[in-house]
Amino acid sequence: MNIGDRRRIIGPVNARALYFENSKPKESIHHTRKKNNEIRPFFIQTGLLTNPNGSAYLEIDNTLILVSIFGPRPIKGPFMNKACFQVETKFLPYVNQPNYLSKAYLFNTNNNATEEDVNIRRNLDITGGSYSSYSNIEQKISSYIHSAFLPSIILEKYPKSTIDVFIIVLSANVEDNVLSLISGISNCCSLALVDSGIELNDIISTGISRILKDNTVILDPTTIHNKDITDDGKYVDAVISFMNCKNDQIVGFLTDGNLNIDNSLIEALINNSNRMAKQIRANIDVYLIDQISSN
Amino acid sequence: MSAAKIDSAQVNNQGDDEVFELKPMNFNPYVLQRIAPDLLLKKYLDLNIRPSLRSFNEFKSIQINDSNLQDNQNLLAKTTVKNGNTIVICGIFAKITEQSLTSDSSILESSQLYNEIYENDPSNQNQNTNSEFMPIYPIIEIARGRFGAPTDEEMILAKKLYNLILNSRLIPKSSLKINLGIKFTDPITNKETTYYSNADDEKNLENKEFNLNDFKPKNNFNFNLHATFKIFNREGPLFDIIYSTLLKTLQNVHLPNVYIDEQNAYLSNILNNSAHSNINTSRNKNKNNLIEDDLSLICDDSNTYPLILNQSIIGFSSTFGFIDRIKSEPHNENNISPNDNDDKETVLLCDIEGEAEETECYSRVNIIPINNQNDSDDNDEFTYFSITGGGSKITKQLLRKAVWLSKQRSKYLQSL
C-alpha cells in the first residue's frame, strides 16, 4: 500500500501502466471530416444533473465534457463584498490527457522516435500521477476558464458567497490538441452558467483557428488536420474567447505553435476565431430559446 | 403532493386581552424534508406512499449501458448506469506488477506446495485462503461540489468494496496471471510471430526444438485491476448501485495478451541452459538474469481474452430500510402483549432515496444473495448479509420478505 495517500485505495506502488505496442488509436467512426472553414457539429444539453445549481453536457466527436456549477453558496469567514469564483478541472483517471498525448502522438507518427520518447511512453502513468493533485493540463484549463469567465460573471451581485465550477472530462479525443479541448470546455461552461441562473454580463463563446505557413486557415482543427501538420510542422493555433454581444470583447487568448507571430497573423487569428465563436454563439442562443419556448 | 401544514395555535397571553394568532406555515416538500424530515416521511407513509412517489416494495428504475466506447486502450471496460436519477460511471483499467521470485521464492514455493495439496483434493477446493484471490482497487468520487480530500462516505464505500471483492473471492489470482508470450522475428522474411505457451504446447513440448519457457523471465507478472467510479446526482445510499455497476463492468473486462520481444530475452543464458533445459527447468529459478531492468511488456489489444470471474458467488446487492409508522387500519389479530407499540407497525422500504428516508431510516438490512446458475430451486446462499439496528423492530417475516425481494432483484439485474 502506498503510504503517500492513505485516504484512497490506490493499489501497489510498483505497478506499471499497460504499454501497447500498436498504440495508434482505433479509427473511430466519430471523426468528423469537414471543410477547412466549417466547424464540427456538437451536441449540447443543460440540466442533466439535479444536485448542482446548473449543469451542461457537451459532446464533440469523442470528446465528452460535463460541467456543473455549484453556487452561489454562502461561505464562512470575513465579509466579502463580491462572490468568490473557483474552477476545478478533472479528467477521469483513465482518460488520456493531451499533454501526454502530444508525446504519444509524436512517437506514433515519427518513425525515428528517440530513446527519450520511448521512455516517456513507457513511463506514462495513465492516472496522471496522482488522484489528489492536478496535472499541468488540468491547471492550465482551470486557469484559462477562470480568467475568461471572471469578466462575464457579475460577482458584485453575490456578496459573501462562492461560485464553484467543476469541469469533468469524461472522454477526450485521443489526438485532439489542448486548445480544441479548451474551446469545448469553455462553451460548455457558458451553457452551465446560464443554466444555473447566475447573472452574467454576456454569454462567452470561444472559437479556435489554425493558420499554416502558407496562410491556409483552418477553423476548428481536428484529428485529421493534426495529421497534416506533421509533414510541414509550421503552424499556429489560437483559442480566443469573446463576449459577442459586448462588442466582441476578448476575454481569453491562448496560442500554441511554432510560426513567428506578427500583427497581421494575430489579426487573422482573431477574425477567424471570432467567426467560429459567432457560429457557436448562434447555436447556443437557438438552443436556449428552444428550451424556453418548450417549457 | 401538497405542502405540509403546521397546525395553527391560538396563544392567549394572560393579563393581556390581545390574542395572537399563529398562521399556518406552508413549505414545499423539498424544504420540509430538510427542516423536518420526520414529519415529511410520516405524512407520506400515512398515505401508503414514499416521498419519491414509489411504493414501499418498489425499487428504483435501473438502466445499464455498457457501450464499448473504446476511446482509450488503457480502459478495459466501462459501464454507465442510471439508477433513478443517480448516474454512475465506472471504468476499469489494469496495471502490471511483477513478483520477483528471488526475493520471496520461499513464500511462493510454500504457497505453490499448498496449492498442489489443495488442488489435488477436491473436497478442499472451497477452503483456499484469500491469498489465492485478488482485490480490485476502487477510487470513488461523488460529485458534490467540493474540492480536495475524499469524503468519509467515499472512503468507507471504497474500503467496503475492496474488502468485499477480496473476501467474497470473486477474482481468482489465476485469472489475472499473465501468460507471457514471446515475439520472434524471422531474420529472412521479417515476419513477426508471437508465441504463447498453452496446454497444447506443453503436450507437444518434446517434439519442439526449444522450450518456450526458457526464453521467458522467471518472475511472475500479474494484472492489477483498478476501478474508478464517478457518481452524479447522489440521492441516497450508494453501495448497492456501486456494487452492481462494478459487477456489470467486470463481466465486460477483456484483458490483453502480453508479450516480450525476443530481443529482451537474454539469449546467452538461454544458450547455456538449452542443453539441459528440458531436464530441469526449475534449476535456474533463482537466477534473475533473464530479465533486463527495463523489460518492456507489450500488450496486444487486438488479442484479448475475457476475465474469468468466480461465477459461483455472483449476485447483486439490495439494501432495505425499516421504519415504524402508525397502523393505518386497526388489525383484528390478537395482540399478544398489549403495550404502547401496539399502534405501530414496521414497514420495509426498498432502495432508500431522498433526504427524509436517509436521515430517518436507521434500521437497515443489506443482502447480496448468490444467483442460481440453474433456474431450479432457490438456493439460500449469500455473499453478504448485514443487519443494522436502528430502533425499528425487524421481524422474521420482514426479513424473509427482504431476502425474497433481494433474490428477485438480483435475478432481474443479472438478466439485464
Side-chain angles (χ1 to χ4, degrees), chain A residues 211-228:
Chain A
I211 293 181
L212 301 179
K213 200 166 69 176
D214 56 355
N215 285 333
T216 315
V217 175
I218 304 170
L219 288 190
D220 196 13
T222 66
T223 316
I224 295 152
H225 299 112
N226 285 349
K227 280 172 189 156
D228 295 340

Side-chain angles (χ1 to χ4, degrees), chain B residues 125-142:
Chain B
Q125 265 183 358
N126 292 328
Q127 293 177 18
N128 292 354
T129 57
N130 284 348
S131 66
E132 288 311 303
F133 297 89
M134 294 289 276
I136 54 129
Y137 303 102
I139 301 286
I140 296 172
E141 285 177 7
I142 304 169

Side-chain angles (χ1 to χ4, degrees), chain B residues 36-93:
Chain B
D38 50 337
L39 192 65
L40 178 96
L41 194 58
K42 185 178 160 296
K43 280 183 175 291
Y44 274 96
L45 293 182
D46 287 347
L47 294 169
N48 273 332
I49 201 159
R50 295 161 63 181
S52 52
L53 302 184
R54 283 187 285 137
S55 66
F56 298 158
N57 293 344
E58 190 182 341
F59 287 94
K60 284 201 275 187
S61 67
I62 193 160
Q63 220 178 326
I64 297 173
N65 177 11
D66 50 357
S67 72
N68 268 333
L69 186 63
Q70 288 290 2
D71 47 354
N72 189 321
Q73 286 166 317
N74 291 312
L75 192 60
L76 301 178
K78 179 172 154 187
T79 313
T80 310
V81 173
K82 196 167 183 211
N83 183 216
N85 281 326
T86 310
I87 300 166
V88 181
I89 302 173
C90 174
I92 289 185
F93 58 91

Side-chain angles (χ1 to χ4, degrees), chain A residues 242-266:
Chain A
F242 300 89
M243 294 207 275
N244 286 128
C245 290
K246 292 260 174 187
N247 198 21
D248 289 345
Q249 282 179 39
I250 294 173
V251 288
F253 193 108
L254 201 60
T255 60
D256 186 19
N258 44 15
L259 264 182
N260 286 330
I261 297 180
D262 55 19
N263 280 347
S264 62
L265 193 65
I266 285 192

Side-chain angles (χ1 to χ4, degrees), chain A residues 1 7-12 14-24 26 30 48-52 62 64 66 70 73 86-88 92-96 119 122 125-127 131 134 164 166 168 170-172 174, chain B residues 69-76 78 87 89-91 93-98 137-139 144-150 155 158-159 162 183 223-224 226 228 230 232-234 256 259 294-301:
Chain A
M1 272 310 135
R7 289 174 294 206
R8 297 177 181 86
I9 303 168
I10 57 175
N14 58 346
R16 255 189 268 179
L18 304 189
Y19 167 63
F20 290 86
E21 162 96 309
N22 178 20
S23 15
K24 214 162 180 79
K26 290 169 193 166
H30 294 292
L48 204 62
L49 306 182
T50 49
N51 281 3
N62 283 343
L64 314 180
L66 188 58
F70 286 83
R73 294 186 290 192
Q86 297 177 80
V87 181
E88 188 201 64
L92 286 190
Y94 43 78
V95 173
N96 278 328
N119 282 333
R122 199 166 287 162
D125 190 343
I126 50 169
T127 61
Y131 291 98
Y134 305 108
D164 299 324
F166 291 85
I168 296 155
L170 302 172
S171 162
V174 182
Chain B
L69 186 63
Q70 288 290 2
D71 47 354
N72 189 321
Q73 286 166 317
N74 291 312
L75 192 60
L76 301 178
K78 179 172 154 187
I87 300 166
I89 302 173
C90 174
F93 58 91
K95 289 186 177 184
I96 295 176
T97 47
E98 183 176 346
Y137 303 102
I139 301 286
R144 294 179 126 167
R146 283 195 195 163
F147 298 97
M155 288 190 276
K159 192 71 192 170
Y162 173 86
K183 188 169 86 175
F223 286 115
N224 283 289
H226 296 249
T228 62
K230 195 85 202 179
F232 303 99
N233 284 350
R234 181 199 185 278
Y259 60 86
D294 191 21
L295 176 69
S296 62
L297 300 169
I298 302 161
C299 302
D300 185 359
D301 64 339

Side-chain angles (χ1 to χ4, degrees), chain A residues 76-92:
Chain A
K76 290 176 188 167
F79 181 79
M80 286 156 69
N81 55 4
K82 60 179 185 176
C84 170
F85 178 57
Q86 297 177 80
V87 181
E88 188 201 64
T89 310
K90 268 284 184 195
F91 286 73
L92 286 190

